[in-house]
Amino acid sequence: MIDEKAKEIEKALLALDRVFLKGEEGNIYHIMKEALDASLIKNTLNVTFGNQLKAARLLGINRNTLRAKIKKLGINLLRYCSTNKSALAIDDFGT
């Protein structure tokens, strides 16, 4: 799970580098916010085995807001379903 967080942060930082190179400094906040949202949501869905209501409660946001963010960020919910627990463990720990 820590590796996944590090990858998300690294992606955001690489995007940040590209923003600086292109001279689009006004997008830094949105890039970093989207990376943080994705990491928080993915980790919360992992902990709740895909239960969106529980995830929304843990995050302190409305379930509909969570669903909108999941859609906007393109997060695959099937990865976090309780029926996929063994597949999730394999993906997350590389075993």
Side-chain angles (χ1 to χ4, degrees):
M1 189 179 311
I2 292 173
D3 288 338
E4 186 176 318
K5 289 179 188 179
K7 287 178 186 177
E8 290 290 328
I9 292 169
E10 185 177 346
K11 275 195 241 179
L13 291 174
L14 288 173
L16 189 60
D17 285 343
R18 287 191 292 270
V19 167
F20 281 124
L21 291 173
K22 292 180 182 178
E24 298 178 29
E25 290 87 2
N27 290 326
I28 295 168
Y29 172 79
H30 298 289
I31 291 168
M32 297 305 287
K33 183 179 179 300
E34 191 168 293
L36 180 60
D37 278 352
S39 180
L40 282 171
I41 291 169
K42 287 177 182 179
N43 286 314
T44 306
L45 287 169
N46 190 29
V47 169
T48 62
F49 300 106
N51 186 314
Q52 295 174 52
L53 184 58
K54 287 181 181 179
R57 285 181 181 158
L58 280 172
L59 291 168
I61 61 176
N62 182 285
R63 184 182 59 88
N64 291 330
T65 301
L66 176 63
R67 290 176 60 82
K69 287 180 180 285
I70 288 169
K71 183 176 180 180
K72 178 184 176 192
L73 297 168
I75 296 172
N76 181 2
L77 289 173
L78 292 176
R79 178 168 183 203
Y80 303 97
C81 290
S82 59
T83 56
N84 260 349
K85 287 180 192 175
S86 59
L88 179 63
I90 290 170
D91 289 345
D92 284 349
F93 299 106
T95 55

